[in-house]
Amino acid sequence: MNDTASDLDRPGAFRLNVGLPTARYRELFPTDPGIDPTTRDLLFPHPVHAAHHWVAVVEPDTTWPRVRELLDDAYDFAVRKHDNAIRRVHRMS
């Protein structure tokens, strides 16, 4: 499903989306901050997938150091999920 919330049809516009562990997401957004998803260079809950703990930023610039940390968190989370899935498969065999 494509969303139009961030108005990505603008010239040069792109949005970086990052899936996070629940705890990390809630650290960032304990409540809905009500951020306009067209705002450039501001971290916000993903306009469609926030319920799945995704965050987004349109055209990260000054937010890049923080976004990079979140990408590291997302990577570590994905590795843990994968390792857990592999362990479950091995237990079943």
Side-chain angles (χ1 to χ4, degrees), residues 18-28 52-55 70 72-78 80-81:
V18 182
L20 296 173
T22 302
R24 184 69 169 123
Y25 178 88
R26 290 191 178 144
E27 282 176 25
L28 296 168
H52 301 287
H53 311 116
W54 281 74
V55 298
L70 296 176
D72 290 341
D73 292 344
Y75 175 81
D76 293 343
F77 180 51
R80 284 192 311 273
K81 284 175 52 174

Side-chain angles (χ1 to χ4, degrees), residues 52-74:
H52 301 287
H53 311 116
W54 281 74
V55 298
V57 60
V58 174
E59 301 175 49
D61 183 25
T62 61
T63 54
W64 180 246
R66 188 171 194 194
V67 170
R68 180 69 188 134
E69 290 174 14
L70 296 176
L71 287 170
D72 290 341
D73 292 344

Side-chain angles (χ1 to χ4, degrees), residues 2-17 35-42 44-48 55-59:
N2 294 323
D3 71 88
T4 58
S6 295
D7 191 25
L8 298 176
D9 289 337
R10 296 175 284 165
F14 69 95
R15 182 179 66 209
L16 178 65
N17 306 310
I35 295 171
D36 176 358
T38 63
T39 304
R40 185 182 172 282
D41 199 28
L42 184 64
F44 57 90
H46 190 281
V48 174
V55 298
V57 60
V58 174
E59 301 175 49

